[in-house]
Every structure is written in structure tokens, then in C-alpha cells.
Amino acid sequence: MNCYEEVAQNCMFAKLRQVSRYVTNIYAKELKSVGLTPVQYSMMTAIKILENANINALSDGLNMDRTTINRNLKPLIREDIVYMGEKEDKRVKTASLSIKGEEIYARAYKKWKIAQDELENRIGKDSWNTMNNVLDDVIGKIH
């Protein structure tokens, strides 16, 4: 096997990116109808889970750089979906979902569920469970 064949057959980066593009397309197709991208939906979820997180907490929680967080938050803030407020320390701004954001999230959840079910049906229940477990394990080991 030459080096090109080895990379083509065994490169984890290439395989994960390919799977990521397929998966992203499934979620993007559904979430588009509520005006969100999969990244924005994930950010909204993190904002709720992390309870009024600042940019650093979102960056850590989502494993994204601050620039990417800010770029993806801007349209959500502009559309009054996410509110950036201040805590006691006025220099620290925290993100929370607005009432409009909560309503959009509820609608988006139904679309997310459709995408989730479609993906599970495509790969099968056993592969779904195995993949979930393997991904959790890998994330824990490389984080």
C-alpha cells in the first residue's frame, strides 16, 4: 500500500469530516425551516445547559474558539433570539435565550428530533448506540 492509499483508507480526520458533512446536512435541512443552523441550535442548547454562560464558558463547553462563538451568536442576538446581559461584573456578558429564543428553540426541537430519528433510521439502532458510546469515549479521552 502506498502512502496515498494508506491516507485514503485510514485517515481518521478525512473519515470524521466526511461523516460530519453528511450528518450536518441532515440536521441543516430540518433546522433551516426555523431559521437556524445546526451550530446555532447547539449553541442555544449550550446556553440553556450552562445557564447564562459567558463567551469563555460557551467556548469551553462547545470546544469552539471565541471568534466562532461570537460569529455564530451575532445573528441570534440581532434577531432577538439570544440576549447578552451583564452580571455583577459589568465587564462579563452572559448569554441567555430570550422569550422569542425559547419559542424558536421549542419549534427547532421538533425539527431536530426529525433529523435525529432520520439519522438513527439510516444507520440502524445498533450502529447508533455503538457510535454514541464510541464518540462519548473518544471525546472523554481527547478533551
Side-chain angles (χ1 to χ4, degrees):
M1 175 182 317
N2 68 40
C3 63
Y4 304 108
E5 291 168 336
E6 179 183 0
V7 170
Q9 292 177 15
N10 299 314
C11 180
M12 188 62 65
F13 171 78
K15 286 182 180 187
L16 287 172
R17 292 291 295 197
Q18 186 175 19
V19 168
S20 177
R21 285 189 294 273
Y22 286 133
V23 170
T24 298
N25 288 338
I26 291 169
Y27 286 91
K29 180 184 76 174
E30 292 301 329
L31 292 170
K32 184 179 183 179
S33 67
V34 293
L36 296 175
T37 67
V39 172
Q40 290 170 331
Y41 187 72
S42 293
M43 289 180 75
M44 292 172 72
T45 301
I47 288 168
K48 288 301 287 186
I49 295 293
L50 297 172
E51 296 182 4
N52 298 319
N54 64 25
I55 299 298
N56 289 333
L58 288 171
S59 178
D60 291 344
L62 292 167
N63 193 32
M64 290 181 186
D65 62 78
R66 291 169 44 104
T67 303
T68 303
I69 297 289
N70 281 314
R71 184 177 59 247
N72 282 283
L73 276 177
K74 279 183 183 176
L76 298 175
I77 294 166
R78 187 174 53 247
E79 297 295 322
D80 296 321
I81 294 168
V82 169
Y83 171 75
M84 294 300 291
E86 296 175 345
K87 285 203 165 192
E88 302 81 40
D89 182 348
K90 302 259 187 246
R91 296 170 296 173
V92 178
K93 298 213 181 266
T94 58
S96 59
L97 296 186
S98 66
I99 293 171
K100 178 181 177 182
E102 295 278 3
E103 292 167 356
I104 289 172
Y105 191 90
R107 286 188 323 196
Y109 174 78
K110 294 173 186 168
K111 298 299 184 175
W112 172 86
K113 188 72 174 127
I114 291 168
Q116 189 87 341
D117 291 345
E118 178 183 339
L119 185 57
E120 183 178 341
N121 289 334
R122 281 191 185 189
I123 67 174
K125 186 76 169 165
D126 290 341
S127 292
W128 175 268
N129 290 333
T130 299
M131 191 164 97
N132 243 337
N133 291 331
V134 168
L135 289 173
D136 286 343
D137 183 52
V138 170
I139 290 167
K141 287 177 178 174
I142 64 175
H143 185 7

